[in-house]
Amino acid sequence: MSIILRNAPKQQGYYTIPDLPVFRLRCTLPMTAEVGYIHNGKVNNVFSSSYVPGIDYNIEINFKDILLTLLSSKEPDFHLSNITQNNFIKEIHVLFKDDDGQTERTFYILNINATTSSSDINVISKRFLTLQPDVKEVTVDSPEFLTYFYIGNVKKLIAKFYDISGSAEIVTLYTWKGNGVSAITHNVSYREVMKYSNSDSSSKKPFYDIYVVDENNQRISVIQRYVFRESTGRENYYLFYNSLGGLDTFITTGDNIQEPSITFDIARTSSGLIQLDNTDDHISYNQKSGYFSIENIHVVTDFLFSKKDKYIFNTDNLSCSKIVVTENDASFNKKDSFTSFSFTYRKMQDIPEIEDTIIEVQQLIVGSGSAQVMPLEMPKRGVNVHENGVSCTSDPIECTMNSVLMYIETNGILTTFISSDAETWTKIDEVVVYGNTGRVYENLTIGSYIKVESETPIINIDTLFSNAQDNY
């Protein structure tokens, strides 16, 4: 065999993306490399490439970018108690082969963008996959999640409440059956956890603990404590997947300012200048963090550095909206006790919020400036006339330049005509339209006229003239 693995992941070893070693091979013949993941005992290939050894017969290959695409996180869902992160871990199979034979390696990759102090997978399960402090201040509205990497035998997620009288109540939130390995994100928000309690909240101290025990009820994880503070009503809750692959919540108490960004593009039409609708118009949101302890700076920097999905939580309907952070002014001095910063973001579904808008009629607007009121309810397809007995026809539009782009909203057969005097018309186009169409007509005579006719009501016409031939 001409292929020798000189450096590679350990067989059946567990690795994070930063910890994954590169493959170094020695070979004397051209070879191919195939990378895939194993699911239900079958290898699903995702990459294949050929390599030719150099004069020293050495080849070095880094598969990190390829493997990173196989890992992902599920969106947070406040209505679920437990979210299984199916793509948190992948069993990877790499095969090298040439004409003399082949060699392979199988290992596991975890959705963690951090180095580990030990290659022992059990180290990961001794803590929750979070960067938040072990004691975290929250409100009753705060969406709180903890992700835990389950391995081995039966395990239980525990909540411990402390009674004002001095007693404690221990409840089981989730039981892991000990089947394989899996990362599960648990909803440990106040209202979710309280569902498992048998006593009233008024009898409890304002905090509770979350931790994991084994089949002997021995604690095997660190304790995560949540302490309640009174809400000011100014809080915003931002969820993000941290560098450990877990779901954290960053709570802000400062102002949230909407900043509309509008581009004013102008075009010349047959009726004069118009403002074009620019698809890049958007609203940016500038969020002030409010003051927080400098001890929590690592959570803030992880929030800002994270290229994974981020969300803002809506307390009214218990849902999340995906956001993209575009800039920040973070600057921290470790000598300070408290600090603050701000960041700007855009929502993925960036639709301006317009309240109290009532649409009663739609208008037909043509290039000449005439208008015609249309009913909201469209006639059925196949109706060729209006109630006045004639087809829906636009007013003649004068051709001020030799090319025109027409955007027309209608249904059914649409016919286009041209004329030199707006009296005798010649058909130049006919098309069936379902909703809208864009039509381009060139080599027009300046000073001539154009019009369109539809078998059903025309909802809208926009015309944009230009001297397209000037570009040639």
Side-chain angles (χ1 to χ4, degrees), residues 333-350:
N333 186 345
K334 291 187 177 180
K335 295 182 180 180
D336 296 333
S337 298
F338 293 89
T339 187
S340 66
F341 73 105
S342 66
F343 60 94
T344 301
Y345 65 89
R346 292 174 59 177
K347 292 183 178 180
M348 292 290 284
Q349 300 296 328
D350 201 357

Side-chain angles (χ1 to χ4, degrees), residues 357-375:
T357 300
I358 301 176
I359 301 177
E360 295 181 345
V361 296
Q362 295 176 326
Q363 291 185 331
L364 165 67
I365 302 195
V366 295
S368 64
S370 62
Q372 180 178 356
V373 177
M374 293 297 173

Side-chain angles (χ1 to χ4, degrees), residues 134-173:
D134 292 340
V135 179
K136 181 182 181 182
E137 284 192 346
V138 298
T139 70
V140 295
D141 296 321
S142 176
E144 299 297 334
F145 294 86
L146 282 176
T147 303
Y148 186 77
F149 188 57
Y150 289 91
I151 61 174
N153 299 323
V154 174
K155 293 178 176 62
K156 292 186 289 187
L157 183 73
I158 300 297
K160 186 175 183 179
F161 301 98
Y162 297 86
D163 196 85
I164 296 175
S165 64
S167 61
E169 179 188 16
I170 297 177
V171 299
T172 300
L173 303 179

Side-chain angles (χ1 to χ4, degrees), residues 362-422:
Q362 295 176 326
Q363 291 185 331
L364 165 67
I365 302 195
V366 295
S368 64
S370 62
Q372 180 178 356
V373 177
M374 293 297 173
L376 274 177
E377 184 177 356
M378 295 284 291
K380 296 180 180 179
R381 289 190 62 199
V383 178
N384 296 317
V385 296
H386 288 294
E387 57 186 6
N388 59 5
V390 296
S391 299
C392 181
T393 306
S394 72
D395 288 348
I397 304 169
E398 184 178 0
C399 300
T400 58
M401 297 184 181
N402 58 33
S403 177
V404 63
L405 167 64
M406 304 185 74
Y407 178 82
I408 306 159
E409 295 181 53
T410 187
N411 285 281
I413 298 176
L414 178 75
T415 309
T416 305
F417 302 87
I418 60 171
S419 172
S420 60
D421 54 7

Side-chain angles (χ1 to χ4, degrees), residues 267-272 274 367-368 397-406 441 444-450 462-468:
R268 181 168 55 179
T269 70
S270 58
S271 59
I274 64 171
S368 64
I397 304 169
E398 184 178 0
C399 300
T400 58
M401 297 184 181
N402 58 33
S403 177
V404 63
L405 167 64
M406 304 185 74
Y441 304 105
L444 301 174
T445 301
I446 298 176
S448 62
Y449 297 89
I450 190 170
D462 286 325
T463 59
L464 179 62
F465 283 91
S466 65
N467 285 319

